[in-house]
Amino acid sequence: MPASPRSSRQFSLSSVGVQDLMNNPPKAGGADPAFVGRDWHDIAVGELVDPAEVRFVELDTGVEDATNLLIDSASTVLLIRATPNETSAIGTFDYKDLNQYLLFATGCLRPDEEHLAFFQDLANKAQQGQEIPVKDAKALGSKEPFVVLPHTANLTAAVEAFGGGVHRIVIAQEGTDEVTGILSQLRLVKFLWENGRSFPVIDQLYPQTIKDLGIGSQHVISVNGDKPLKVALALMDGEGVSSLAVVDNQQNVVGNISTVDVKLLTKSSSAPLLDNTCIHFISVILSTRGMNDGKDSFPVFHVSPYSTLAHTVAKLVATKSHRMWVVDSPSPSSSGPPTPSIPSAVLHNPLHVASTPQATPSFISASASPSVSASSLPGASMSGRLSGVVSLTDVLNLFARASGLNPNDPAETRRHRRRSSSSSLVRGSLDSARSSSVDVSKILR
């Protein structure tokens, strides 16, 4: 077995340095001269996007090819078009879609009577090694709102849409369907943070605490670290969310799993990870980030109810996160044995795969190696008791309301997303659904 790369990895920050970053996130950078002195109501959405970042797949593109492009391009979403010559989009393919498809491929979804024939036909095609097109994968269920704005629309239109729970907006050349870019919630929040002083209505909110502003939700979706990973993936799919908190037995936050992390499961050799614990998968996530970035990663990012909005937004931007977990004072630690650190993933010789090695490392062992129990994790010292969550939607909803806009209720958008996620397929028992499973190696090799 080769020596662990941890022995040669460059540590960019000590544990004290990481904690200092957590407690004192970076301040907003200098304003972009192109926007200084301009009313943000007059800034066009087209000024914030880059056409070079747009990636297309066709309706008939195979899921495997779409997945490789999604991972290799470092994008979080691909646009779907009808034919290769089209410049307009009719849908999106992202990590939520990939998560749902992997749940189907591994037998964690069951069809209702209405969709039984479609489900069986898709399963038969997969078993026979036939290519499954993106249009069939999209038909499995979950639908994200598909919003298009002309490139001349101002930022208020984007803030209002995002504040209502829309996660991304396709930008098209005015008067045409030609796509010129994709604007995400994170990019807009980052822009408003870095140029905050140019937007007084928003800038005055930053010194206030999230408790005083009343933003965030106490309805938090979490999973115990000892639960199998497949439970967490099914929970994200069923609830229509892109990430959830991983907690120990005292509800202290010990990690985070997102749909983007599904890219670590797209090789057949990774299938056993689904039956291993969420804690083990977090160790795989952190080890992989270390391999790719050349430094250790910190597993938990959180704020308290008394953190300022500036503190919270700075962390969201610095960590490129969609959610920041809100924690109260740490709960008493477990009375179990001395707390070990989260172990590294077991390493073995790389496999030869088609996709970019650093995007989906094949050197991560998916074998069921001993994992740290949630009862013995250092959750109390790592964070505190989970009490809420603040998302990019919450932040942009606040900005919209403070600016006199009327965004849709994001809670209703979330309810619609959950209904959409379960409209086509019924989530059955993860154990009983095994009878209808598909060999994942025949789908994603």
Side-chain angles (χ1 to χ4, degrees):
M1 180 181 296
S4 170
R6 285 182 180 272
S7 61
S8 59
R9 189 181 311 161
Q10 298 297 312
F11 290 81
S12 60
L13 286 173
S14 66
S15 58
V16 174
V18 171
Q19 193 59 51
D20 182 63
L21 172 64
M22 298 293 294
N23 295 331
N24 303 283
K27 293 182 171 63
D32 187 330
F35 301 105
V36 173
R38 295 177 59 186
D39 188 316
W40 71 291
H41 294 74
D42 297 326
I43 297 174
V45 292
E47 298 180 67
L48 270 63
V49 299
D50 182 359
E53 296 177 355
V54 177
R55 296 289 184 274
F56 279 103
V57 291
E58 285 73 58
L59 283 170
D60 293 328
T61 300
V63 173
E64 182 176 355
D65 290 340
T67 297
N68 287 335
L69 178 59
L70 183 64
I71 295 172
D72 295 347
S73 66
S75 175
T76 58
V77 62
L78 304 176
L79 295 183
I80 302 173
R81 59 188 174 188
T83 67
N85 296 325
E86 296 285 341
T87 58
S88 60
I90 56 177
T92 60
F93 180 81
D94 59 15
Y95 284 106
K96 281 187 178 181
D97 297 312
L98 180 58
N99 179 44
Q100 186 167 71
Y101 186 72
L102 286 174
L103 288 170
F104 155 74
T106 53
C108 297
L109 299 182
R110 288 189 304 171
D112 53 24
E113 284 295 326
E114 181 182 354
H115 300 90
L116 181 60
F118 169 77
F119 184 96
Q120 191 58 56
D121 180 61
L122 198 61
N124 289 339
K125 288 180 180 178
Q127 291 285 18
Q128 295 167 14
Q130 295 183 36
E131 187 175 70
I132 305 298
V134 166
K135 62 183 178 183
D136 286 349
K138 290 290 294 185
L140 286 172
S142 181
K143 302 293 187 295
E144 282 287 319
F146 188 71
V147 178
V148 181
L149 285 177
H151 78 286
T152 54
N154 61 43
L155 290 189
T156 57
V159 170
E160 191 165 45
F162 284 144
V166 172
H167 291 161
R168 67 177 67 92
I169 298 173
V170 175
I171 309 302
Q173 188 73 23
E174 185 179 26
T176 74
D177 294 328
E178 181 182 354
V179 175
T180 60
I182 304 172
L183 184 62
S184 68
Q185 286 184 324
L186 182 59
R187 175 168 293 187
L188 183 54
V189 167
K190 183 175 185 289
F191 171 79
L192 295 174
W193 168 243
E194 293 177 342
N195 298 276
R197 292 182 180 177
S198 299
F199 317 127
V201 172
I202 292 175
D203 196 46
Q204 65 181 350
L205 299 171
Y206 286 128
Q208 302 181 54
T209 68
I210 58 177
K211 180 180 176 65
D212 289 342
L213 290 170
I215 66 170
S217 172
Q218 294 182 332
H219 175 65
V220 192
I221 301 171
S222 64
V223 64
N224 185 277
D226 287 337
K227 293 290 186 181
L229 175 60
K230 60 188 179 184
V231 171
L233 301 184
L235 188 59
M236 285 192 291
D237 181 57
E239 293 292 332
V241 297
S242 60
S243 65
L244 47 79
V246 180
V247 298
D248 65 12
N249 289 358
Q250 286 75 43
Q251 286 297 113
N252 296 307
V253 181
V254 296
N256 178 90
I257 293 176
S258 74
T259 51
V260 175
D261 299 321
V262 170
K263 65 186 175 183
L264 300 178
L265 302 171
T266 57
K267 296 293 177 289
S268 57
S269 59
S270 300
L273 284 172
L274 292 169
D275 293 308
N276 212 320
T277 66
C278 291
I279 291 299
H280 177 72
F281 189 55
I282 288 174
S283 76
V284 171
I285 294 169
L286 298 181
S287 180
T288 305
R289 288 178 188 166
M291 298 290 182
N292 293 344
D293 301 337
K295 59 186 179 182
D296 273 2
S297 294
F298 201 70
V300 184
F301 293 103
H302 60 271
V303 294
S304 83
Y306 301 99
S307 297
T308 63
L309 180 64
H311 183 89
T312 304
V313 170
K315 285 186 177 180
L316 285 166
V317 170
T319 61
K320 299 180 180 179
S321 300
H322 286 191
R323 289 173 180 77
M324 208 41 71
W325 309 116
V326 180
V327 300
D328 292 330
S329 299
S331 61
S333 60
S334 167
S335 58
T339 302
S341 60
I342 298 179
S344 307
V346 179
L347 309 177
H348 61 70
N349 291 329
L351 301 175
H352 296 288
V353 293
S355 59
T356 306
Q358 65 267 25
T360 311
S362 56
F363 46 70
I364 296 175
S365 172
S367 61
S369 58
S371 297
V372 177
S373 168
S375 65
S376 60
L377 282 168
S381 61
M382 290 170 66
S383 57
R385 185 187 292 273
L386 179 65
S387 63
V389 62
V390 175
S391 67
L392 293 174
T393 296
D394 295 322
V395 173
L396 288 164
N397 183 273
L398 173 67
F399 291 169
R401 289 185 287 107
S403 304
L405 303 175
N406 296 295
N408 293 331
D409 180 3
E412 178 54 35
T413 303
R414 283 192 291 269
R415 284 191 291 270
H416 174 76
R417 192 175 286 119
R418 284 197 295 270
R419 288 194 298 268
S420 171
S421 183
S422 59
S423 62
S424 294
L425 294 173
V426 177
R427 273 77 196 149
S429 163
L430 291 174
D431 294 323
S432 62
R434 277 292 168 199
S435 61
S436 59
S437 65
V438 177
D439 183 358
V440 71
S441 66
K442 295 181 182 292
I443 302 167
L444 297 175
R445 302 170 177 83

